[in-house]
Amino acid sequence: MLPLNGRGYRASSDLAILDLGDGLPPMVQVDNAWAAVSTSDKPKEVARFTRRFNQMIASALPSEETPEFMQRLEIFNG
């Protein structure tokens, strides 16, 4: 379990921004409750989840701090 206190935005579900290439519109895939999966290529939905994803990127730890964080998580969740 990841700690909820701390920096940045936390997504409430798994999400993926899909670039399908070949002139196809980008899509978003979101995992919902009970293993349901939603997909959408609506520009408004793709933009909304892209903003959320970018917020997570902006607040993520630098890669050099990630190993120490993972070790702390292992000890915390022991």
Side-chain angles (χ1 to χ4, degrees):
M1 172 186 283
L2 290 173
L4 294 177
N5 60 349
R7 49 198 275 175
Y9 171 77
R10 302 283 191 279
S12 58
S13 57
D14 294 339
L15 65 99
I17 309 296
L18 308 172
D19 179 358
L20 305 174
D22 294 330
L24 295 171
M27 294 183 73
V28 63
Q29 173 186 317
V30 181
D31 297 342
N32 298 308
W34 303 289
V37 175
S38 299
T39 58
S40 176
D41 63 354
K42 293 179 182 177
K44 185 176 180 179
E45 290 297 305
V46 172
R48 180 168 63 108
F49 284 100
T50 298
R51 283 191 303 274
R52 290 180 180 186
F53 188 76
N54 288 337
Q55 287 176 314
M56 287 189 291
I57 291 170
S59 63
L61 289 174
S63 58
E64 63 272 8
E65 292 180 30
T66 300
E68 180 186 335
F69 177 76
M70 297 301 288
Q71 289 172 349
R72 288 194 324 256
L73 269 182
E74 183 178 28
I75 292 168
F76 177 76
N77 290 321

